Amino acid sequence: MTETDWDERFASGEYPRAPEPSPVLRAYEPSLPGGRALDVAAGTGRNAVFLADRGYDVDALDASAEGLRIVRERAAERGVADRVETVRADVSTYGFPTEAYDLVAMSYFHTLDRFADLVESLAPDGYLFVEGHLRSAAPSPSGPSDDRYRFAANELLRAGLGLSVRYYDETTTERPGDRRRATARLLAQKSSGGRQSYPTRPDGPVRWPAGERDA
């Protein structure tokens, strides 16, 4: 899908204007350090606006001018426009800065070939959060029809093994309209050594808010 296609989807309202942030990112965020964040393939600001609302200075990176326009509008509506900088660029060719971010988040954009660059853009002890569509035996109507753009079992986990993995799962979420979604999620820290810091694990049944309302 081209950036023009995405511009049309965002402009038409086919893609939600205000999708929910990842439930895993939302659950762990209170125990993560603040600072500077990057939302890769930001779309309409799924994670960017949420993180800015939590006090991060956020760079929202996307190829779609229309998507980034909506990000700016949403940030202004939330009163956090001064904490969101939009960056229009193609993720596949973008020159990520080195050791610049305390948190890098990427939701539902498949680009394992840039994984090392995402890691390099993390500051020491910074966190990387990635979630993406997962290949599954049962039909998964949500997401790409081509398995090339879905993670195989444990593929995302293996990609993150150069980091200190703090959370990983592969799950199926039932969603309205029989649009179930198979997803892999990774939260990992750029740290090493015998003694490390660990985020607090969210408690009990409220860990992952039910009923994701995103696309």
Side-chain angles (χ1 to χ4, degrees), residues 114-138:
R114 301 305 310 273
F115 203 92
D117 299 299
L118 297 181
V119 172
E120 284 296 315
S121 73
L122 289 172
D125 294 323
Y127 281 84
L128 175 66
F129 173 75
V130 177
E131 65 181 349
H133 297 286
L134 187 67
R135 299 172 193 172
S136 60

Side-chain angles (χ1 to χ4, degrees), residues 34 57 212:
D57 293 315
E212 293 180 44

Side-chain angles (χ1 to χ4, degrees), residues 11-204:
S12 69
E14 178 185 347
Y15 187 91
R17 173 184 171 87
E20 292 290 314
S22 164
V24 174
L25 181 62
R26 181 168 51 192
Y28 271 97
E29 181 277 328
S31 64
L32 302 183
R36 189 179 178 196
L38 172 66
D39 185 12
V40 180
T44 56
R46 174 194 307 278
N47 297 319
V49 176
F50 164 74
L51 291 172
D53 198 43
R54 295 301 190 272
Y56 285 85
D57 293 315
V58 183
D59 289 343
L61 171 67
D62 202 279
S64 170
E66 182 64 20
L68 294 178
R69 182 189 67 78
I70 295 172
V71 171
R72 291 190 293 271
E73 286 186 354
R74 291 186 57 213
E77 291 165 1
R78 296 290 299 177
V80 295
D82 60 331
R83 292 204 288 271
V84 177
E85 184 75 23
T86 55
V87 181
R88 188 182 181 193
D90 186 340
V91 175
S92 65
T93 58
Y94 180 67
F96 292 97
T98 301
E99 295 190 349
Y101 297 104
D102 301 290
L103 174 62
V104 173
M106 183 171 69
S107 290
Y108 303 109
F109 186 83
H110 195 82
T111 181
L112 279 176
D113 59 331
R114 301 305 310 273
F115 203 92
D117 299 299
L118 297 181
V119 172
E120 284 296 315
S121 73
L122 289 172
D125 294 323
Y127 281 84
L128 175 66
F129 173 75
V130 177
E131 65 181 349
H133 297 286
L134 187 67
R135 299 172 193 172
S136 60
S140 182
S142 179
S145 58
D146 193 328
D147 274 353
R148 290 181 301 170
Y149 303 108
R150 292 177 179 268
F151 292 113
N154 290 324
E155 186 175 25
L156 178 57
L157 177 61
R158 288 193 296 269
L161 289 181
L163 302 170
S164 296
V165 175
R166 303 303 187 215
Y167 176 87
Y168 184 76
D169 74 13
E170 295 181 355
T171 58
T172 297
T173 303
E174 296 296 333
R175 302 164 68 231
D178 193 32
R179 298 184 63 237
R180 72 188 64 83
R181 170 185 283 163
T183 305
R185 293 184 174 100
L186 169 76
L187 177 69
Q189 188 177 18
K190 188 179 182 180
S191 61
S192 60
R195 294 181 180 273
Q196 301 183 28
S197 60
Y198 299 95
T200 302
R201 181 175 179 174
D203 292 328

